Amino acid sequence: MKLTAEQIQQNWIDLEETIKEYIEEPRCSQLLDFYSTYSERIMLMPASHKKEYHNAFPGGYVDHVLRVIDCALKLNDVWIEMGVDDSTYTKEELVFSALNHDLGKIGSEENESYIPQTDQWRKEKLGEDYTFNSKLPFASVPDRGLFLLQQHGIKYSFNEMIAIQTHDGLYDEGNKKYLMAFMPEQKPRTSLPFIVHQADLMAARIEFEHEWLPKFKNNLPSKGKNYTLNDNQPAAKKASIKTKALSNIQSEGLKNVMDDFFKS
C-alpha cells in the first residue's frame, strides 16, 4: 500500500485538527508544538519496519494513529452502550492515549527509530524496507513515548500512563502485571487501557486486511516470490539463501522447523 503526497499532507492536517478538537490547553498547544518540531519525521514515518507488519510505508505511522483514534472513539460508544463506567476516564484521556500510544516509534530528539534498509538481501527476502537505527539506545515503544512526553513538559494522567504502557495488551509479557491480576484491588480501576488496546488491535488488523487480503484473493503467495527456493535456482544460491535465513533465527526449535521447510 502506498499513500500519495496529498494523502500524507491531509493526514497531517487531520492529526492537528484532532488535537485541537479533543485536547484542552495547555496540552493542546504543547502537543501541537511538539508534533510541529518533528513534523517532517513523523509525517513520513512508517508504522512498522516490515511489510508483513502493519503500514510499513511512508506516512504509515500517522495513518495508523488516526485509525486508532477513530476506532477508540467508536469502541468507546460501544463500551458505554454496554454499561461501562465511563466516569473513570475522560474522552480527552481516551484520545490522548490513542494519539500517543506509539509515540516511542519516532525515536529520540537526535535520532529517528526507523531508517531505510540498506541490506538488499534483507529487503528482498525478508520484506524489511526499514531497519532499526543502531544509534538509538534500546527502550520499549511505550517507555520511550512516555519519556518523550515528559522530556517536552507534556503532562499525562495516571490513566493515560497505564493506557499507553499497556496498549499492546498481553502481546507484551510486561503487561501481565497490569492485565492479569486476579485480586480485585490489583485490577485496573478504569476500562480505558482495554479500549485503547482493542482500538490498536482493530486498526492493525484492518491495515493488514487492506494490504494482504487482495493479494490472497488473487492467489498470490503471502510472502511474495522472493521467499521461494524454486528448482530453477542454482544449488549454490539456494544454499546461500538457506544459510542466511537460518543464521537470523535464535530459537533452535524454530531453526529446525525452518530447516525442514527449506528441505521440502
Side-chain angles (χ1 to χ4, degrees):
M1 182 175 176
K2 293 183 179 179
L3 297 178
T4 65
E6 291 75 19
Q7 288 173 317
I8 290 174
Q9 182 62 42
Q10 186 58 53
N11 278 348
W12 187 255
I13 293 171
D14 291 345
L15 187 76
E16 291 182 320
E17 291 302 315
T18 298
I19 294 172
K20 294 174 185 177
E21 180 177 355
Y22 290 101
I23 309 300
E24 297 181 359
E25 293 294 353
R27 294 202 302 178
C28 177
S29 295
Q30 291 173 330
L31 283 170
L32 289 172
D33 288 344
F34 173 84
Y35 278 89
S36 176
T37 299
Y38 301 100
S39 58
E40 184 175 342
R41 186 194 302 185
I42 299 174
M43 194 184 301
L44 297 174
M45 276 176 55
S48 59
H49 78 290
K50 193 172 182 178
K51 291 177 182 177
E52 280 72 20
Y53 302 157
H54 62 98
N55 277 24
F57 50 80
Y61 176 82
V62 175
D63 182 76
H64 172 67
V65 167
L66 288 173
R67 188 170 289 104
V68 173
I69 294 171
D70 193 28
C71 289
L73 290 168
K74 288 179 169 60
L75 284 169
N76 186 52
D77 291 338
V78 174
W79 278 71
I80 290 173
E81 181 182 348
M82 297 307 296
V84 73
D85 183 359
D86 61 330
S87 70
T88 61
Y89 62 93
T90 66
K91 186 167 285 189
E92 179 176 354
E93 287 179 319
L94 176 70
V95 173
F96 183 94
S97 302
L99 170 70
N100 297 298
H101 77 284
D102 268 347
L103 186 63
K105 289 184 177 180
I106 79 167
S108 65
E109 288 184 333
E110 299 81 16
N111 295 294
E112 54 191 309
S113 181
Y114 296 131
I115 57 177
Q117 176 62 267
T118 57
D119 186 326
Q120 197 63 27
W121 186 90
R122 297 189 69 86
K123 189 171 182 178
E124 291 181 358
K125 307 304 179 184
L126 301 180
E128 295 180 2
D129 287 335
Y130 299 87
T131 188
F132 295 107
N133 189 350
S134 60
K135 294 181 180 178
L136 199 64
F138 173 76
S140 70
V141 170
D143 287 346
R144 193 184 302 282
L146 292 169
F147 176 79
L148 283 168
L149 290 171
Q150 65 85 26
Q151 189 177 30
H152 288 264
I154 302 171
K155 294 183 177 180
Y156 44 82
S157 69
F158 183 83
N159 278 352
E160 290 164 344
M161 179 188 73
I162 299 300
I164 291 172
Q165 191 75 53
T166 63
H167 76 267
D168 278 328
L170 292 175
Y171 288 100
D172 185 340
E173 289 282 328
N175 293 335
K176 284 185 175 182
K177 58 184 177 292
Y178 292 110
L179 305 179
M180 285 190 66
F182 297 101
M183 299 299 292
E185 62 271 17
Q186 293 179 321
K187 293 179 182 291
R189 305 295 173 93
T190 172
S191 290
L192 179 64
F194 302 100
I195 300 172
V196 172
H197 170 53
Q198 287 186 353
D200 186 34
L201 187 66
M202 178 184 288
R205 173 63 197 184
I206 290 168
E207 289 154 12
F208 165 80
E209 292 191 357
H210 288 174
E211 177 73 22
W212 288 98
L213 290 193
K215 298 176 183 179
F216 295 151
K217 289 177 182 178
N218 291 327
N219 294 319
L220 295 178
S222 63
K223 295 196 175 185
K225 63 181 181 181
N226 290 322
Y227 285 82
T228 303
L229 294 175
N230 58 62
D231 292 333
N232 294 325
Q233 291 174 321
K237 184 175 181 181
K238 288 164 59 174
S240 174
I241 293 173
K242 172 184 174 181
T243 301
K244 269 199 170 184
L246 293 179
S247 67
N248 288 287
I249 300 175
Q250 300 300 317
S251 166
E252 287 301 321
L254 181 56
K255 187 175 292 187
N256 291 336
V257 171
M258 293 307 296
D259 190 29
D260 290 338
F261 167 78
F262 282 117
K263 291 175 181 176
S264 61

